[in-house]
Amino acid sequence: MSPAKSSSPVQLTAANTGALPRVLLLAICVVYGLVGLFGRDPWKNEDAAGFGVMWQLASGGTQDWLMPNIAGRPFGEDGPLVFWVGGLMIKLFGGWLGAPDASRLSTLLFYFATCAFVWYATYLLGRRDEVQPFAYAFGGQPDARDYGRALADGALLILLACVGLAMRGHETTPQVGQVSFIAMMLYGLVRSLDKPVQGSLWVGLALGALCLSSGPILPIALFVAAIVAGAVCKPVPLRKLLTIGLPLALAIVGAWLAATYFGAAERDEAVSFIREWTRYDRRNYGGPSSQSLGFIARNFFLFSWPVWPIAAWAWFSWRGMRRAAHIALPLSLLLLLFLLLVSQRQAGDVQFILLLPPMAVLAAFALPTLTRGAINAIDWFALLLFTIFGGTVWFLWIAKTTGWPPKIANNVFRQLPGFQHSFTISAVICALIVTACWVLVVRWRLSRAPKQIWRPVVISAAGTTLMWVIAMTLWLPSINYGKTYRDVAQAAALALPPTYQCVQPIRMGNAQLASFAYFGHIRFGGPNDGCDILLRHDAVDYGAPSNLSHYEWRLIWEGRRPADRDERFRMYRLVEAPPVVAPPHPTRPRRLPRQP
C-alpha cells in the first residue's frame, strides 16, 4: 500500500462504487435540460436582454456581430461569444423554431458542455492514486476506474440538484456560457496533471472564451487561481500553462479586438465600445457593499443547496490532503470566484451559478466520507421538501383549473390580473409522468437502500427535476404571462401613428428595449436621430416632457404589464403646437354726449 493511499480517509468496497444506471442518469440530464427552454417568451430581465442581443445579431450586419447591441444601444456589459452562438442558432433554426426558442439552443449546448466537463474532471481526479480508498490486505477495494466513475456520477447529480440552477440555467444570458467555460478550465487543469500540453490548451481555450463571454477581470482572476493552485499542488505544470495556455488565451482575445477595431466602419466607435467593455468590469467590481453582502447572505445558501454543505464537508474530511489535486484545484477556483462575488457593488443571483462547477467537483469527494446520519438527513430533507413542493404545485393548479377551493383560486388569479387559464392535456400528461417517476425513484431509493456513494444525492437531483418539470408544464402559461412584455409591446406598437420617423426610449432597460423592438417591431433611434416619438418608462407620472419651440409632446398611449404595478410606459408624439391667440382687449363703452 502506497503512502498516498494510506492517508486517504475513505474505506470502501467494490460494491460501494457501482455505476448509476446510465438510463436514469441520462434521463435526468436530458429532461432537466430540455424542459423550460421552448414554448415561452423571453422573460424579464436578463433573459430578455440576452435574447435581444442575439436577435439583433441574427437580423443585423457585420457591425452588430463585432459590437453587440440592442436596437442600436451598445451592449458592452459582457463579451460577444455567447451572443454569437445564440445569433447563429437563430440564423440556422429561427425559421423553424422561432427566434426565442432557437436562441435557447445555445443555452442547451452550454448546459450539456458544463455537464460533460464536470463529469470528466471529477472522473480524472477520482482515478488518481492519492484519492483511492484504503487498500485491504486481502483485496476487495474498488477499482480506480469504477471509483472515479462513481464520483463523477455523484458530481453531476450534485450539480443538477442545485435549486438555483433550474431557472438561471435555462436563460439566454452570458452567464450560462461563462459557467461552461469555468467547467472547461477546471477540466483543463485536471487534464494537465497527466497530459500537460493538452491540458494547457484546454486552459488557454477556456480563458480566451471566458474573456470573450464576460470581461477581462473574471479570466484574470481565474488565471491567478490557476497559479495559486500550481503553487499549492506541485503536479500542476505551471510552466506549460504560462507558455501554452496564456498565449493561446491572449491570441483569442486579441483576434476579436483586432477584428473589431479594423472591421468597424468608424474607428472611434470601435474604440469607444472596447473601452466601455473594459470599464464595465471596473465599475461592477469595486469592493463589497452592505447591500450586496446582505443579498448574498439571504440568497446564496438556498440557491446552492445542497452543494455547499457537502462541499464544506469535503474540505473538512480531507483535512490531511488539502494540497492534493482533488481539493486544491476546485477550491482555488471556488475561492477566487467567491471573492469576485462579494466584491460586486450590486450582487445578483445570476452570478451564483458561476460557483457551481468547482463546488460540485469538490463536493463529490465528500460523498465517500459522509456518515450514515448525514446521508439520511440529506435524503429525508429532500424527500420532504420536494414532496411538499410538488403537492403544493398540484393543489394550486387544481384550484386554478377547477375554481375550488374558491378562496385559493381567487388568490391565484389576483396575482395574474387578466390571465385567461386554458387546460392543456399534453402538459398535464407530462406532469403526471414526471410525478410518477418521482414516486418510483423515491420507492427505489428507500426500498433497495443502495450502498453506492452517489446515493445521498439521487433524491435531491430527482426532486429538483420534478420541481422544474411540473413548474414548466402546469404553470408555464401563467409564469410566461407574468414575465413577458409581449402584450404591452404589441399594444404600444398599435398606438404608433402610421408614419413616424423613430422612437426614442427614455429610462427603458435592456430587457424592455429588446422586448418592444422584437414583439412590437418598433423602430428605435438615439438622442441625435431627431425622433418624433418618445417612449418613456416611469414608476410614477412625471408629466409630459418639456415642449419645444412651436411643438409640444402629446400623450398618445399609456400602458403596463398587468402583473407589474411598479412600471408604466407612456408614449408621446411630437405635434405642432396650436398658435397662441392673444385674448382681445376689452373696449370701454363710448360715452354718449350729454343731452342738453
Side-chain angles (χ1 to χ4, degrees):
M1 183 173 58
S2 65
K5 290 184 180 181
S6 64
S7 60
S8 172
V10 179
Q11 296 187 17
L12 296 176
T13 63
N16 298 122
T17 57
L20 185 71
R22 298 294 98 181
V23 175
L24 177 60
L25 184 62
L26 290 176
I28 292 177
C29 290
V30 172
V31 171
Y32 187 92
L34 287 176
V35 174
L37 284 181
F38 307 112
R40 65 174 180 86
D41 295 333
W43 290 343
K44 59 173 296 189
N45 288 311
E46 292 86 0
D47 186 39
F51 165 74
V53 180
M54 296 176 182
W55 176 65
Q56 185 68 40
L57 264 63
S59 58
T62 305
Q63 298 298 310
D64 298 302
W65 288 80
L66 294 176
M67 296 177 289
N69 61 89
I70 302 176
R73 176 189 293 175
F75 192 88
E77 298 178 6
D78 297 283
L81 181 55
V82 175
F83 304 128
W84 286 346
V85 179
L88 181 61
M89 293 297 105
I90 295 177
K91 274 188 169 295
L92 294 177
F93 305 103
W96 176 40
L97 297 174
D101 287 347
S103 68
R104 285 188 285 271
L105 289 177
S106 63
T107 303
L108 189 65
L109 291 177
F110 288 123
Y111 161 76
F112 283 128
T114 302
C115 292
F117 285 124
V118 167
W119 194 95
Y120 278 103
T122 311
Y123 175 67
L124 294 177
L125 288 173
R127 291 172 51 185
R128 295 183 59 81
D129 290 339
E130 62 266 21
V131 302
Q132 296 306 305
F134 180 84
Y136 298 102
F138 299 100
Q141 68 273 8
D143 179 73
R145 295 174 63 89
D146 294 338
Y147 182 55
R149 190 169 66 171
L151 287 172
D153 291 346
L156 187 53
L157 289 176
I158 291 172
L159 178 68
L160 300 181
C162 292
V163 176
L165 182 65
M167 176 66 74
R168 290 306 188 181
H170 290 81
E171 295 180 333
T172 51
T173 62
Q175 283 72 29
V176 298
Q178 295 169 18
V179 72
S180 179
F181 300 134
I182 290 172
M184 180 193 296
M185 181 178 176
L186 180 56
Y187 168 77
L189 288 174
V190 175
R191 183 84 274 185
S192 69
L193 299 175
D194 54 354
K195 295 183 179 180
V197 175
Q198 181 182 342
S200 299
L201 290 174
W202 278 111
V203 170
L205 180 62
L207 286 175
L210 193 59
C211 192
L212 260 64
S213 61
S214 61
I217 290 184
L218 180 58
I220 290 174
L222 291 184
F223 186 71
V224 172
I227 295 176
V228 172
V232 173
C233 182
K234 298 304 181 183
V236 176
L238 275 180
R239 181 172 298 178
K240 295 291 185 182
L241 295 178
L242 291 173
T243 58
I244 297 177
L246 182 58
L248 177 59
L250 294 176
I252 293 173
V253 179
W256 169 60
L257 295 178
T260 303
Y261 181 77
F262 293 105
E266 297 182 6
R267 299 286 175 81
D268 293 341
E269 184 180 359
V271 172
S272 176
F273 180 85
I274 295 172
R275 185 183 294 115
E276 181 64 23
W277 171 68
T278 58
R279 285 178 177 175
Y280 179 79
D281 267 353
R282 295 201 299 269
R283 292 195 299 265
N284 190 33
Y285 299 102
S289 64
S290 58
Q291 181 180 3
S292 64
L293 291 178
F295 179 86
I296 293 171
R298 291 190 304 270
N299 297 279
F300 177 73
F301 297 104
L302 177 61
F303 184 98
S304 59
W305 177 269
V307 63
W308 70 264
I310 303 178
W313 179 257
W315 182 82
F316 174 79
S317 61
W318 291 86
R319 53 189 175 274
M321 299 180 62
R322 289 171 183 165
R323 289 178 175 268
H326 66 290
I327 300 296
L329 296 187
L331 186 60
S332 61
L333 298 185
L334 179 60
L335 291 179
L336 265 294
L337 289 170
F338 192 80
L339 180 62
L340 287 182
L341 178 65
V342 299
S343 299
Q344 290 182 329
R345 287 191 172 96
Q346 294 182 348
D349 61 351
V350 69
Q351 302 290 336
F352 291 168
I353 62 173
L354 302 184
L355 283 73
L356 296 185
M359 199 182 297
V361 174
L362 179 62
F365 290 90
L367 297 180
T369 65
L370 288 174
T371 63
R372 184 182 298 273
I375 293 173
N376 292 335
I378 294 174
D379 275 344
W380 284 107
F381 179 82
L383 177 62
L384 292 175
L385 173 67
F386 292 113
T387 300
I388 293 174
F389 175 85
T392 303
V393 171
W394 273 106
F395 175 73
L396 293 177
W397 179 83
I398 293 173
K400 182 180 67 171
T401 304
T402 63
W404 186 89
K407 185 176 181 179
I408 302 296
N410 292 335
N411 289 335
V412 172
F413 284 106
R414 189 178 296 115
Q415 303 300 321
L416 300 169
F419 174 70
Q420 299 296 324
H421 175 64
S422 60
F423 183 86
T424 307
I425 187 63
S426 59
V428 178
I429 292 176
C430 290
L432 288 173
I433 291 175
V434 75
T435 304
C437 291
W438 160 254
V439 174
L440 293 176
V441 168
V442 171
R443 184 173 179 272
W444 168 79
R445 170 67 182 88
L446 297 181
S447 62
R448 296 289 184 90
K451 303 299 183 182
Q452 287 82 356
I453 58 177
W454 38 258
R455 67 189 185 277
V457 288
V458 170
I459 292 182
S460 296
T464 307
T465 305
L466 166 77
M467 172 190 71
W468 180 246
V469 172
I470 62 175
M472 291 296 103
T473 51
L474 298 179
W475 286 87
L476 181 59
S478 304
I479 298 174
N480 192 63
Y481 178 80
K483 297 178 74 68
T484 181
Y485 284 99
R486 175 190 291 268
D487 293 338
V488 67
Q490 292 176 347
L494 292 176
L496 284 170
T499 58
Y500 70 96
Q501 185 172 348
C502 61
V503 177
Q504 181 180 347
I506 305 294
R507 288 193 293 272
M508 291 183 63
N510 291 328
Q512 299 162 342
L513 185 65
S515 299
F516 276 73
Y518 176 73
F519 291 119
H521 304 284
I522 297 176
R523 185 170 62 254
F524 285 101
N528 300 324
D529 293 333
C531 296
D532 54 346
I533 302 291
L534 290 182
L535 181 58
R536 198 172 69 181
H537 169 234
D538 297 322
V540 296
D541 188 4
Y542 293 104
S546 301
N547 294 332
L548 306 177
S549 176
H550 305 296
Y551 292 92
E552 67 179 9
W553 293 104
R554 182 174 299 170
L555 181 67
I556 60 174
W557 174 80
E558 183 178 359
R560 64 178 177 89
R561 295 187 314 113
D564 198 332
R565 300 178 181 179
D566 296 330
E567 62 180 16
R568 186 172 294 275
F569 300 94
R570 293 177 175 87
M571 184 181 293
Y572 298 88
R573 183 182 183 185
L574 189 64
V575 297
E576 188 174 358
V580 179
V581 179
H585 293 286
T587 58
R588 295 181 179 180
R590 293 180 61 185
R591 181 175 297 178
L592 297 177
R594 181 177 299 178
Q595 297 294 330

